[in-house]
Amino acid sequence: MRENDCNSNPVFYYAIRTITMSGEDAPAQQQKAEDQKQETKTTEQPKAESKQESQPATEAPAASATATAAEKPPEEEVFTYRSLVLSGHGGYDKVKLQVKKGKPTPKNGEVLVRVKACGLNFADLMGRQGLYDRLPSPPVTPGMECSGVIEAVGEEVTDRKVGDRVLVLHRFGMWQEVVTVIAGHTFLMPEGMSFEEAAALPVNYVTAYMMLFEFGNLRPNQSVLVHMAAGGVGIAATQLCHTVKDVTVFGTASASKHEAISQGGVTHPIDYRTRDYVEEVRKINPKGLDIALDPLGGSDTHKAFNLLKPMGKLITYGAANMLTGQRKNLLAVAKTWYNQFSINALSLMHANKSVCGYHLGHLDDEPELISQVVAKLLELYGQGKIKPRVDSTWHFEQVGDAMRRMQERNNIGKVILLPEPKKEEPKKEEDKKEEKKEEPKKEENKKEEKQEEPKKE
Amino acid sequence: MRENDCNSNPVFYYAIRTITMSGEDAPAQQQKAEDQKQETKTTEQPKAESKQESQPATEAPAASATATAAEKPPEEEVFTYRSLVLSGHGGYDKVKLQVKKGKPTPKNGEVLVRVKACGLNFADLMGRQGLYDRLPSPPVTPGMECSGVIEAVGEEVTDRKVGDRVLVLHRFGMWQEVVTVIAGHTFLMPEGMSFEEAAALPVNYVTAYMMLFEFGNLRPNQSVLVHMAAGGVGIAATQLCHTVKDVTVFGTASASKHEAISQGGVTHPIDYRTRDYVEEVRKINPKGLDIALDPLGGSDTHKAFNLLKPMGKLITYGAANMLTGQRKNLLAVAKTWYNQFSINALSLMHANKSVCGYHLGHLDDEPELISQVVAKLLELYGQGKIKPRVDSTWHFEQVGDAMRRMQERNNIGKVILLPEPKKEEPKKEEDKKEEKKEEPKKEENKKEEKQEEPKKE
């Protein structure tokens, strides 16, 4: 089952290192150089899948092969699987659908999962623009979460078996038909949970839970500000707030989403496009908030801090303000950086406030912590206290449209990607034609060209 | 009972404003100027108590009287009480024992307390040096906590009665034989609690409790760093840590105090004078700490932050590093400022950490919050889970020695001041002689001259 020869390939080694989250030192500098070389080679022309070995499904497809095809049993060569690959930083068209060859084999402690649904996250949008440091350099398969069925288990895996329905949380590489991951990164799906729900849960609910309960210490009668309340984390946070008695949720979203977020539990929806949310919160809670969740960054972090009452907690977990269009907007990035919140000990003391930073992508080395949180979330799901809301599902072929939906803030709930081919189209990936992945599909190309220019906002 | 005319005196108004904690706007700018003028007038020569009217006992004695003595009933004039007054910023001799005339009268919502014991806090030491912004300018009576017996109640006080044994938490002004305070700032002492214990509880235990449970969210199996573990907050924090299952306490203190703090619950005592506490903690907990309490400031705040594991919380609540001797040490102050911890949102996010600032003196406007915490503390006391440790008791005459004991870190537990005169000495305050308070007592003067120069450390 083991493929030790793969360790001679530095890219492969890197992938394994990140998969195992073992924390051991890798030759990072050397790896970086290798990645960059690859990027140069492959950004415009992602390599064809003919190079793919039976390496872990999360590996970037362009790894220069050191293990030759001759070393593989012939039956594994015919196995192919669809994979979304970020070919370079840029617009929606940089995420390409590829077909990879060679069945991934779970190593010691790993399982092979046949993926049924994947979650799309803000981090994926930022990663595509080169703004997310936890995604390795292209070519790389994005995707931090998925759900599916275990198809094979590696040695030393005792608590998972073939046929188990699982949800998976991983740093990257989940947007594929099959993935191999450490068994400890999979969690058994409860009865009655759909694959779409399962793929919608890990990132958003773990994030919301840890912010509200580990940092926020949310308690009865408190008040919470939730930005982007119709988004994945927003909906998760709103639901989790209501697992505590009499919590008031202020939620920002555009007016068209107010009915939905009100039904979802937002006490005071605020249309941030037409109102000053600071004023709106102060009108209702003159003393301010107990907890402010800040996914925006820049000047909004300052506003959130100032809105806190004494003993209040600001939890900053993103910089969505950097993301104003399809392509990296240097002005927005610079502005968000320039306005970045900073504070010293004395000011914090005088204010009696707490400032917390949360970044799930940097919790790689804390599998136990994450497992505990997922266990609690699945318990809450079982009790009917939380339920992921799926906004829409998109086949891998439609990943550009899916990203656009989220980028343009049209979603209410989670945007889900499905590995299975779109029914209306001929299943081209079964033809194993290279051309299909070399260029974006025509109809998508047209749409995306309209969006090539960064939006002026 | 009311003295509305006092509102025409801005100093008096200021005192009332702070006493009532009403949160209403005061003419702060004007007040500041007034304070400074007074300081100039009175720093070297504290005004005699002949100016004292029957104003709230917490008021600074130097207020220029607008209510004349003629307005007072003659019987109140003969009432005198001992009061410690900070006459100006500087060494131990700046806190002078005075005798004030005129019985304080509790106004609406207030009670008059006959004080039995007072707590000494780090903030008082800093206030004496002019390093504590929550103490009004001299002349002023310091003291944030005391215990005693209610001797009179004002109108509209329904939940306190004459004879009630209470502990009191207040911004300043408690180092007196009698004080008038808002009834809501008093808390009934449980059965079996001594006045010394009661005076030792409010500041240290409220501070430790709010840090550990409001900000820190302390839970089973976590680890906590407690600096100055033999001090008031240190002992309170250690005891409170053990109200949660299997909490590991790292406590810094000089070696001579290790036996005491071990018995008190510190799991790993660290002699910060001979060991690098960062290394010591890492040796035992390679991953670091869940919570670090930081009363030191400066470079120690950075160390505490770096010692946190992911999802860890730093709670900074002081700058004891500024306090290196009896007098303000500008070098120490500058160094602490220069090394002051500062952080931006992105660094916090990447670290997955929380930084909290706590300052009880800035929670004036949160009496409900404080009351809830005191109620919980008294419940824990009743259950035998916490018990203030009194290091030593000192009569008002010995306040310089008491402060020195704390300043030089010789105490294990709380340093308590007793308003009642020292038995061995003639009760000079009954002689009502002005001279006694105009100059520091001879024997104290001698001792303190040795300490006039800031220590070179």
Side-chain angles (χ1 to χ4, degrees):
Chain A
M1 296 281 266
R2 309 228 30 198
E3 297 171 334
N4 290 325
D5 52 346
C6 292
N7 285 331
S8 59
N9 175 343
V11 173
F12 189 80
Y13 176 75
Y14 181 65
I16 294 195
R17 192 181 67 85
T18 54
I19 292 161
T20 59
M21 294 185 177
S22 65
E24 62 185 315
D25 287 327
Q29 293 293 335
Q30 180 193 338
Q31 183 48 44
K32 185 80 185 166
E34 192 73 22
D35 286 349
Q36 281 164 355
K37 203 169 65 189
Q38 290 226 358
E39 186 179 4
T40 319
K41 279 192 294 186
T42 59
T43 301
E44 293 311 308
Q45 299 280 330
K47 295 225 174 176
E49 66 277 23
S50 62
K51 290 265 175 77
Q52 295 313 302
E53 308 304 325
S54 59
Q55 62 205 18
T58 46
E59 191 190 346
S64 59
T66 51
T68 65
E71 288 170 56
K72 305 289 140 202
E75 65 270 25
E76 285 199 9
E77 301 249 1
V78 301
F79 183 89
T80 63
Y81 58 96
R82 289 152 54 95
S83 170
L84 290 173
V85 176
L86 180 66
S87 59
H89 296 145
Y92 303 131
D93 63 332
K94 293 295 184 189
V95 182
K96 300 182 191 300
L97 178 59
Q98 295 191 348
V99 174
K100 294 183 182 177
K101 278 184 189 166
K103 190 166 192 169
T105 312
K107 292 188 296 301
N108 272 13
E110 291 187 346
V111 294
L112 174 72
V113 177
R114 167 71 56 172
V115 177
K116 300 293 186 180
C118 311
L120 176 59
N121 288 291
F122 247 87
D124 300 314
L125 302 185
M126 298 195 79
R128 201 197 62 237
Q129 295 192 4
L131 292 171
Y132 183 65
D133 66 336
R134 299 305 280 169
L135 185 66
S137 300
V140 64
T141 293
M144 301 157 73
E145 60 193 345
C146 70
S147 60
V149 179
I150 290 183
E151 208 166 81
V153 297
E155 285 174 28
E156 295 172 23
V157 175
T158 55
D159 53 353
R160 294 289 179 271
K161 62 182 189 306
V162 172
D164 280 349
R165 299 162 76 239
V166 291
L167 50 88
V168 185
L169 178 61
H170 202 74
R171 211 182 93 191
F172 67 95
M174 297 296 100
W175 290 355
Q176 298 195 142
E177 260 187 308
V178 287
V179 294
T180 52
V181 288
I182 297 244
H185 293 187
T186 68
F187 306 92
L188 295 176
M189 284 168 55
E191 287 283 316
M193 182 182 268
S194 71
F195 286 115
E196 286 79 4
E197 283 180 343
L201 187 136
V203 169
N204 294 160
Y205 282 78
V206 167
T207 297
Y209 187 95
M210 292 184 83
M211 291 196 298
L212 289 172
F213 297 112
E214 306 274 334
F215 279 147
N217 196 9
L218 177 66
R219 280 163 315 163
N221 301 306
Q222 291 193 325
S223 53
V224 182
L225 173 63
V226 177
H227 281 295
M228 306 199 293
V233 174
I235 288 175
T238 303
Q239 291 178 3
L240 286 167
C241 279
H242 288 293
T243 63
V244 175
K245 202 162 170 278
D246 298 328
V247 169
T248 302
V249 179
F250 293 86
T252 68
S254 54
S256 62
K257 300 177 180 176
H258 282 198
E259 193 181 334
I261 63 173
S262 289
Q263 284 170 358
V266 170
T267 325
H268 302 291
I270 302 171
D271 181 7
Y272 67 98
R273 299 186 195 219
T274 60
R275 303 270 182 173
D276 177 346
Y277 67 83
V278 173
E279 278 179 25
E280 296 298 306
V281 171
R282 285 276 178 212
K283 258 189 231 167
I284 296 160
N285 269 26
K287 286 195 77 173
L289 301 161
D290 293 291
I291 297 173
L293 306 183
D294 164 45
L296 302 174
S299 58
D300 287 292
T301 317
H302 299 257
K303 289 181 187 176
F305 184 80
N306 292 331
L307 267 176
L308 295 178
K309 57 170 81 155
M311 302 306 292
K313 294 155 197 97
L314 160 66
I315 303 150
T316 185
Y317 68 104
N321 282 337
M322 283 188 187
L323 215 63
T324 61
Q326 187 188 166
R327 298 289 183 89
K328 184 168 10 183
N329 178 341
L330 285 177
L331 186 63
V333 171
K335 201 171 148 190
T336 309
W337 265 95
Y338 183 78
N339 288 322
Q340 190 182 181
F341 182 80
S342 177
I343 194 155
N344 65 38
L346 197 69
S347 305
L348 264 180
M349 256 192 275
H350 284 193
N352 276 297
K353 290 178 183 177
S354 163
V355 181
C356 320
Y358 182 82
H359 193 317
L360 180 56
H362 282 268
L363 287 172
D364 286 2
D365 294 332
E366 304 298 328
E368 280 179 35
L369 200 56
I370 302 292
S371 296
Q372 287 166 13
V373 173
V374 174
K376 283 175 195 156
L377 289 168
L378 295 181
E379 194 184 327
L380 289 170
Y381 179 90
Q383 294 164 350
K385 290 183 178 167
I386 60 170
K387 188 174 173 66
R389 176 176 177 143
V390 174
D391 170 73
S392 51
T393 57
W394 308 76
H395 295 271
F396 272 7
E397 296 86 339
Q398 302 166 301
V399 62
D401 294 330
M403 289 190 291
R404 179 181 293 113
R405 185 164 176 86
M406 189 164 184
Q407 168 76 64
E408 296 180 355
R409 314 282 210 274
N410 291 323
N411 58 309
I412 299 181
K414 192 74 176 183
V415 176
I416 293 289
L417 299 173
L418 303 174
E420 71 176 31
K422 205 172 162 211
K423 288 282 157 43
E424 298 89 331
E425 292 185 345
K427 293 191 177 182
K428 285 186 185 171
E429 72 284 1
E430 287 177 4
D431 301 339
K432 295 168 199 158
K433 280 185 189 157
E434 306 300 290
E435 293 78 356
K436 182 169 160 287
K437 286 123 291 171
E438 293 288 316
E439 296 185 350
K441 281 184 288 173
K442 281 281 147 38
E443 70 273 35
E444 286 179 2
N445 209 17
K446 232 190 293 176
K447 273 193 223 156
E448 277 158 14
E449 265 162 12
K450 285 191 297 182
Q451 306 246 359
E452 292 287 309
E453 311 299 317
K455 280 195 255 176
K456 295 200 175 65
E457 286 177 17
Chain B
M1 298 280 266
R2 310 222 37 192
E3 296 172 333
N4 290 326
D5 52 347
C6 292
N7 285 332
S8 60
N9 175 341
V11 172
F12 190 80
Y13 175 74
Y14 180 64
I16 294 194
R17 190 181 67 88
T18 54
I19 291 161
T20 59
M21 296 186 177
S22 66
E24 63 185 315
D25 286 328
Q29 292 294 333
Q30 182 193 334
Q31 183 48 44
K32 186 79 186 165
E34 192 72 22
D35 286 350
Q36 281 163 356
K37 205 168 65 192
Q38 289 228 358
E39 185 179 4
T40 318
K41 279 191 297 186
T42 59
T43 300
E44 292 311 309
Q45 297 283 329
K47 296 225 172 173
E49 66 278 21
S50 61
K51 289 266 175 75
Q52 297 311 302
E53 308 305 323
S54 60
Q55 60 205 20
T58 47
E59 191 191 347
S64 59
T66 51
T68 66
E71 289 169 55
K72 304 289 141 208
E75 66 271 26
E76 286 199 9
E77 302 248 4
V78 300
F79 182 91
T80 63
Y81 58 97
R82 290 153 53 96
S83 171
L84 289 173
V85 176
L86 180 66
S87 59
H89 296 146
Y92 303 131
D93 62 332
K94 293 296 183 189
V95 182
K96 300 182 191 299
L97 179 58
Q98 295 191 349
V99 174
K100 294 183 181 177
K101 280 184 189 167
K103 189 165 193 171
T105 313
K107 293 188 297 300
N108 273 13
E110 289 186 347
V111 294
L112 174 72
V113 178
R114 167 71 57 172
V115 177
K116 300 292 185 179
C118 310
L120 175 60
N121 287 291
F122 247 88
D124 300 313
L125 302 186
M126 298 194 79
R128 200 197 64 236
Q129 295 193 3
L131 292 171
Y132 184 64
D133 65 337
R134 300 304 281 167
L135 184 68
S137 300
V140 64
T141 293
M144 303 158 72
E145 59 192 346
C146 69
S147 60
V149 179
I150 290 183
E151 205 165 84
V153 298
E155 285 174 28
E156 295 171 23
V157 174
T158 56
D159 53 353
R160 294 287 179 273
K161 61 183 192 303
V162 172
D164 280 348
R165 298 162 76 240
V166 290
L167 51 89
V168 185
L169 178 60
H170 202 75
R171 211 182 94 192
F172 66 95
M174 296 299 100
W175 290 355
Q176 298 195 141
E177 258 188 311
V178 288
V179 295
T180 52
V181 289
I182 299 245
H185 292 185
T186 67
F187 306 91
L188 295 176
M189 285 167 53
E191 286 283 316
M193 183 182 266
S194 71
F195 286 117
E196 285 80 4
E197 282 180 343
L201 188 136
V203 170
N204 294 161
Y205 283 78
V206 168
T207 297
Y209 187 96
M210 293 184 82
M211 291 196 298
L212 288 173
F213 297 113
E214 306 274 333
F215 279 147
N217 195 10
L218 178 65
R219 280 162 314 161
N221 300 307
Q222 291 194 324
S223 53
V224 183
L225 174 63
V226 177
H227 281 294
M228 305 199 294
V233 174
I235 287 174
T238 302
Q239 291 179 1
L240 287 167
C241 279
H242 288 294
T243 64
V244 175
K245 202 162 168 281
D246 297 329
V247 169
T248 301
V249 180
F250 294 86
T252 68
S254 54
S256 63
K257 300 177 180 176
H258 283 197
E259 192 181 335
I261 63 173
S262 290
Q263 283 170 359
V266 170
T267 326
H268 302 290
I270 301 171
D271 180 7
Y272 68 97
R273 298 187 195 218
T274 60
R275 303 270 180 172
D276 176 346
Y277 67 82
V278 172
E279 277 178 26
E280 296 298 306
V281 170
R282 285 277 177 210
K283 259 188 232 167
I284 296 160
N285 269 26
K287 287 195 76 176
L289 301 161
D290 293 290
I291 298 174
L293 307 182
D294 164 45
L296 302 174
S299 58
D300 287 293
T301 318
H302 298 258
K303 289 180 187 176
F305 184 80
N306 291 332
L307 267 177
L308 296 178
K309 57 170 83 158
M311 302 306 292
K313 296 156 196 97
L314 161 67
I315 303 150
T316 185
Y317 68 105
N321 282 338
M322 284 189 186
L323 215 63
T324 59
Q326 187 188 168
R327 297 288 182 89
K328 187 171 3 186
N329 177 341
L330 284 176
L331 186 63
V333 172
K335 200 170 149 194
T336 309
W337 265 95
Y338 182 78
N339 288 322
Q340 188 181 182
F341 182 80
S342 175
I343 195 158
N344 64 38
L346 197 68
S347 305
L348 264 180
M349 255 191 275
H350 284 193
N352 276 298
K353 291 179 182 178
S354 163
V355 181
C356 319
Y358 181 82
H359 194 317
L360 179 56
H362 283 268
L363 287 171
D364 286 1
D365 294 332
E366 305 298 329
E368 281 178 35
L369 201 55
I370 302 291
S371 296
Q372 287 166 14
V373 174
V374 174
K376 283 175 196 158
L377 290 169
L378 295 182
E379 194 184 326
L380 289 171
Y381 179 88
Q383 294 164 351
K385 290 183 179 168
I386 60 171
K387 186 172 175 66
R389 176 177 177 141
V390 175
D391 169 75
S392 51
T393 57
W394 307 78
H395 295 271
F396 272 6
E397 297 86 340
Q398 303 167 299
V399 62
D401 294 329
M403 288 191 290
R404 179 180 294 112
R405 184 164 176 85
M406 189 165 183
Q407 168 76 64
E408 297 180 356
R409 314 283 208 276
N410 292 323
N411 59 310
I412 300 180
K414 192 76 178 181
V415 176
I416 293 289
L417 298 173
L418 303 175
E420 70 176 31
K422 205 173 164 211
K423 290 277 158 45
E424 300 87 331
E425 291 186 347
K427 292 190 178 183
K428 284 186 185 171
E429 72 284 359
E430 288 177 4
D431 302 341
K432 293 168 201 158
K433 281 187 189 153
E434 304 302 291
E435 295 75 359
K436 181 166 163 289
K437 285 122 290 170
E438 294 288 316
E439 298 183 348
K441 282 184 288 173
K442 283 280 150 31
E443 71 273 34
E444 285 179 4
N445 209 15
K446 231 188 295 174
K447 272 192 222 156
E448 276 156 15
E449 266 162 10
K450 285 192 299 182
Q451 308 246 355
E452 290 288 306
E453 311 299 316
K455 281 196 253 174
K456 295 199 175 64
E457 287 176 16

